[in-house]
Amino acid sequence: MGGALPKRRAAVLLPYPFYGAFDYAVPPGIDVTPGDVVSVPLGRRTEWGVVWDAAGDGQVADARLKPISAVLAVPRMADNLRRFVDWVAAYTMSPPGEVMAMAMRAAPHGEGPIAHGWRIVPDAPVDVRVTKERARVLAVLADGAMLSGPDLARAAEVGSAVIRGMARAGLLEPVALAQRPLFGMPDLVRAGPVLGAEQEIAARALCDAVKSRTFSVSLLDGVTGSGKTEVYLEAVAEALRSGRQALVLLPEIALSAQWLERFQQRFGTMPAQWHSDLSPGLRKRTWRAVADGSAPVVVGARSALFLPFPDLGLIIVDEEHETAFKQEDGVIYHARDMAVVRARFESAPIALVSATPSLETVANVEAGRYHELTLTARHGAASMPDIATVDLREAPPERGKFLSPQLIAAVNETIAAGDQAMLFLNRRGYAPLTLCRSCGHRMQCPQCTAWLVEHRHARRLQCHHCGHQIPTPETCPECGAAHALTAIGPGVERITEEAREVFPEARIQVMSSDTIEHPSQTTDAVRAITERDVDLVIGTQIIAKGWHFPHLTLVGVVDADLGLGGGDLRAAEHTVQLLHQVAGRAGRAEKPGRVLLQTFSPEHPVMQALVSGNLAGFRAAEAAARRPGNWPPYGRLVALIVSGEDAHAVDKAARDIGLAAPRMDGVVVLGPAPAPLALLRGRHRRRLLLKARKDVAVQKLVHAWLAGVQLPSRVRVDVDIDPVSFM
Ligand code: ADP
Ligand code: ZN
């Protein structure tokens, strides 16, 4: 080694589940700054990564250090975002590289696409033959116009060969096209609606928070239809006025057609959208537009949280109580909670918006950490719907049917009055269970602990967990009996069949993820409903979401008890939230709405809360039930999911983990026990649940716990901090 100078080194984080960053040498002639995106050798390949720290830990000897190959032309990852990534990784106990990848995978590595186009060569040779097709091309490009190849071919109605031929003949030459900005600047001069008094107070508070450029959390809590969206759009406008960006997180972006329309009406332009259905090209261009600030507003699903905003001025989490904000695979995180953390790193305010806020958020309000802004009344002349139960024990539907006489009468009245009705059942398909009347055999998924759901229209039995499907058999696979397989219980398809019999004249629109697969289909369905081409809407939870259907006056909930089974800690809370949301679709304009909940237990606190509208009282009762046992939000939970293909190995690993469980004050470990989905996609699953007092640093505890257990390589342990699903 002689007197060689020590090599300059940098720690580079790679987009893989490695434990941390790797050291690389910084060769002469290259300078790197933390956040730079670089290409580096990894084994025999070249990989990209992000310079995480200027200096590595020096554990790798100089001689073994490989050099960074190049600094890529990708916007540098800001310090705020890198600190956020580290924080999320530590909190969720995930490899930092995997979290970093969520932020950077869509980055356009290397040069961004430069669009090429064509124009007429100014002093083109005159002796070239000009066919009719060529003449059309010249006409389109007259007056110095420049068009991309595909656009030119379309406008001149010629094939691309014609254009290439003209280039060879010296008639056309290629030019670089200037990229038009992808996203327009929202019109901030255009006035929003005149806000009501309560709205005004809430909007002013949010705008002040934006102006202060400091971190704060507000809960915007208002009944459905109270105008929360209008309020937070004012705050979005304020962020843009101060030259900063705004991020709006929605639970399911595929269902946001009406939201986008409202944004367009308010601001005269579309926001950037971010979700899993973007094409790779649009994804890269959107990522870059966010990074260079030319996307002023982003509306997106949870992954939008990791976008490279250079100057984020506001985050909105709409429907903050929705479980869809919890990502359940890969890096398991709750986008609402992580959004609060991102806001803190960006010194920006965040507003959590809901008509039925989660107990977690309400506990934070009560502890004084979040401010509460409340809208108590619906906007304008609209009033809250009248909610009543239908006791299925007293007035049951006809045998083998699911709509009670009372609900049928109400639908008939509504349609006769020229209004619209909605039937809600949160279950896809025709029937959740198929059973053999002859031998009692139940059709089950071979890979999951789940019944196969009949989809009669598609003539298939489907597993809703793994996608396994078979054609609906004619005979029982167990006993061979013919015509003995019977559908048990209703799905939305079966309710539709019944509705077509009972309301033969009604124009019916079905909305479930089986009938609505693309955002454009949502738009069509929504338009048909708002333009009154529909009398009866039937659907799954898709129809519960923020829709504004002015002519809808009746909502019938086919099975209000559906979400209450099972051992989920939040079953009651989630049922209230979902049903309140569905109920909120009724009576959003001048005509009052009403809601009928079909239930076998009208006395249940959930039904009582919905009927009385006393949601605060319900929350208080829930809180009182959870507080003594340190259940969330008054304590912490960590779920461990042990899984593998070999049931014995999984059982043994789960037992070993159970035996090594920490024993200390304020900590309880439950399990191991078979997961409700004890078999999922062919993997056996066991669960353990750690429950701890709020002041326990659970990540450290779990880390030490698992470090002490020897696990076979074919058994995996997933750690779910703050679990929402207990399946
Ligand atoms: P929420 O988000 O609380 O459910 P919305 O913001 O969707 O309520 O408002 C419900 C309806 O009332 C929407 O059609 C909205 O455009 C309208 N609205 C709300 N506030 C106003 C206002 N101040 N002026 C006019 N229309 C309003
Ligand atoms: Zn399955």
Side-chain angles (χ1 to χ4, degrees):
M1 294 277 131
L5 283 172
K7 285 184 178 168
R8 290 189 301 160
R9 48 173 78 212
V12 176
L13 191 62
L14 300 169
Y16 291 105
F18 301 138
Y19 180 66
F22 287 174
D23 276 4
Y24 282 91
V26 183
I30 287 188
D31 274 312
V32 294
T33 308
D36 277 343
V37 182
V38 293
S39 63
V40 293
L42 179 70
R44 289 206 186 85
R45 285 173 308 156
T46 302
E47 252 310 335
W48 65 274
V50 176
V51 176
W52 216 246
D53 296 295
D57 58 13
Q59 279 180 10
V60 180
D62 266 6
R64 294 187 45 218
L65 223 48
K66 293 202 177 130
I68 288 174
S69 317
V71 179
L72 301 177
V74 178
R76 179 177 291 160
M77 198 172 179
D79 287 356
N80 286 350
L81 184 51
R82 290 192 303 113
R83 283 163 56 211
F84 176 59
V85 164
D86 279 335
W87 200 96
V88 172
Y91 188 83
T92 61
M93 301 183 68
S94 308
E98 258 190 319
V99 181
M100 182 277 282
M102 295 199 292
M104 298 299 283
R105 198 173 279 135
H109 296 158
E111 215 32 72
I114 294 173
H116 285 290
W118 299 99
R119 72 170 169 206
I120 298 174
V121 176
D123 42 3
V126 288
D127 56 340
V128 177
R129 197 166 60 89
V130 176
T131 60
K132 269 191 188 159
E133 288 187 317
R134 287 184 171 187
R136 285 208 299 274
V137 171
L138 293 176
V140 168
L141 292 181
D143 305 324
M146 297 183 259
L147 282 180
S148 72
D151 285 351
L152 178 56
R154 211 171 303 124
E157 296 176 13
V158 300
S160 58
V162 174
I163 297 170
R164 284 199 306 273
M166 290 175 77
R168 272 198 304 276
L171 289 172
L172 300 183
E173 63 184 11
V175 284
L177 292 177
Q179 291 264 34
R180 260 184 307 130
L182 260 189
F183 305 106
M185 183 62 195
D187 181 351
L188 300 175
V189 181
R190 183 190 292 229
V194 179
L195 297 182
E198 277 184 333
Q199 281 181 312
E200 186 66 47
I201 293 168
R204 193 163 303 151
L206 287 184
C207 288
D208 286 345
V210 170
K211 281 185 208 149
S212 77
R213 291 176 171 252
T214 50
F215 167 68
S216 65
V217 190
S218 306
L219 164 63
L220 178 55
D221 173 5
V223 297
T224 51
S226 57
K228 299 185 290 297
T229 314
E230 301 297 346
V231 167
Y232 74 66
L233 287 181
E234 285 310 306
V236 167
E238 186 61 45
L240 302 180
R241 252 178 239 122
S242 59
R244 305 181 86 187
Q245 290 164 293
L247 166 65
V248 180
L249 291 181
L250 301 181
E252 274 159 281
I253 191 78
L255 309 176
S256 63
Q258 261 189 341
W259 192 96
L260 291 170
E261 212 167 282
R262 272 175 77 178
F263 187 92
Q264 163 90 38
Q265 274 167 16
R266 172 72 179 77
F267 292 115
T269 187
M270 277 291 190
Q273 297 175 52
W274 189 261
H275 51 81
S276 55
D277 284 345
L278 292 184
S279 70
L282 186 54
R283 173 175 297 269
K284 286 192 182 345
R285 291 201 294 157
T286 303
W287 190 94
R288 190 175 278 271
V290 173
D292 70 19
S294 68
V297 182
V298 177
V299 55
R302 50 193 183 226
S303 57
L305 194 53
F306 293 91
L307 282 169
F309 298 94
D311 197 6
L312 191 55
L314 173 68
I315 303 178
I316 304 287
V317 182
D318 203 351
E319 311 291 2
E320 67 89 30
H321 61 275
E322 284 278 349
T323 53
F325 282 120
K326 183 73 192 280
Q327 167 138 325
E328 297 285 4
D329 44 32
V331 176
I332 302 178
Y333 68 95
H334 202 306
R336 174 198 59 216
D337 299 346
M338 296 306 114
V340 171
V341 177
R342 175 104 201 235
R344 182 151 54 75
F345 279 120
E346 301 290 340
S347 300
I350 175 170
L352 309 179
V353 182
S354 176
T356 50
S358 61
L359 254 73
E360 278 71 12
T361 295
V362 171
N364 277 316
V365 169
E366 282 164 2
R369 285 188 288 271
Y370 297 0
H371 314 279
E372 187 174 22
L373 304 167
T374 314
L375 306 180
T376 54
R378 280 196 159 175
H379 170 76
S383 53
M384 290 306 285
D386 178 35
I387 304 183
T389 51
V390 175
D391 189 339
L392 291 174
R393 294 166 307 194
E394 281 177 8
E398 253 179 65
R399 223 181 118 75
K401 305 288 179 194
F402 302 94
L403 302 178
S404 64
Q406 204 181 330
L407 182 53
I408 293 173
V411 171
N412 275 327
E413 273 164 36
T414 305
I415 298 179
D419 296 330
Q420 292 170 322
M422 179 184 261
L423 295 176
F424 170 76
L425 176 62
N426 198 14
R427 203 190 264 140
R428 293 161 51 206
Y430 187 84
L433 170 63
T434 302
L435 173 124
C436 173
R437 259 184 288 119
S438 186
C439 73
H441 176 69
R442 295 161 174 223
M443 299 295 295
Q444 193 178 354
C445 177
Q447 310 186 74
C448 304
T449 314
W451 308 128
L452 292 176
V453 178
E454 181 182 0
H455 288 249
R456 189 161 284 192
H457 187 68
R459 297 197 190 149
R460 297 189 155 272
L461 301 182
Q462 246 186 50
C463 172
H464 285 182
H465 295 285
C466 73
H468 173 84
Q469 45 175 299
I470 54 169
T472 309
E474 302 277 327
T475 54
C476 172
E478 190 68 19
C479 71
H483 311 298
L485 291 177
T486 314
I488 306 291
V492 81
E493 268 186 36
R494 194 171 194 177
I495 295 303
T496 307
E497 181 185 272
E498 186 175 339
R500 287 197 205 284
E501 282 166 23
V502 194
F503 315 111
E505 305 290 309
R507 295 166 299 170
I508 294 176
Q509 170 75 53
V510 182
M511 290 179 82
S512 79
S513 54
D514 294 306
T515 61
I516 306 274
E517 288 171 336
H518 303 288
S520 66
Q521 290 170 307
T522 319
T523 317
D524 292 347
V526 168
R527 183 166 306 133
I529 299 168
T530 19
E531 288 176 3
R532 307 179 89 157
D533 293 334
V534 169
D535 303 308
L536 180 58
V537 186
I538 302 177
T540 56
Q541 42 110 16
I542 288 186
I543 62 176
K545 310 299 149 153
W547 310 113
H548 184 67
F549 299 135
H551 311 292
L552 186 89
T553 58
L554 173 71
V555 168
V557 175
V558 175
D559 183 357
D561 308 329
L562 185 59
L564 291 174
D568 189 328
L569 136 90
R570 298 185 185 87
E573 182 191 359
H574 287 163
T575 302
V576 166
Q577 286 161 342
L578 178 63
L579 296 186
H580 184 82
Q581 185 97 32
V582 191
R585 298 317 101 206
R588 290 176 65 95
E590 292 78 20
K591 284 197 181 179
R594 68 174 164 146
V595 179
L596 292 175
L597 308 172
Q598 296 198 139
T599 171
F600 283 98
S601 45
E603 66 288 340
H604 195 287
V606 164
M607 306 307 148
Q608 292 300 317
L610 289 163
V611 168
S612 68
N614 182 6
L615 299 186
F618 169 78
R619 275 199 302 263
E622 275 286 301
R626 292 193 208 169
R627 211 179 251 117
N630 284 339
W631 292 97
Y634 309 102
R636 298 165 167 277
L637 292 182
V638 180
L640 302 185
I641 301 106
V642 188
S643 70
E645 282 169 11
D646 177 354
H648 291 294
V650 173
D651 273 327
K652 173 163 189 323
R655 262 199 317 272
D656 289 348
I657 294 174
L659 289 174
R663 268 167 250 278
M664 56 184 276
D665 197 30
V667 173
V668 185
V669 173
L670 309 167
L677 273 169
L679 187 65
L680 178 64
R681 296 185 197 92
R683 293 178 73 85
H684 297 272
R685 302 165 77 247
R686 308 289 178 261
R687 296 182 68 105
L688 296 102
L689 189 65
L690 178 140
K691 182 157 70 78
R693 253 189 352 235
K694 199 100 205 195
D695 58 339
V696 175
V698 288
Q699 286 85 354
K700 249 170 88 182
L701 193 64
V702 171
H703 192 84
W705 174 13
L706 292 180
V709 184
Q710 193 75 34
L711 286 176
S713 63
R714 287 169 53 244
V715 171
R716 193 173 82 211
V717 179
D718 291 309
V719 179
D720 182 356
I721 306 282
D722 308 330
V724 169
S725 163
F726 297 87
M727 297 304 282

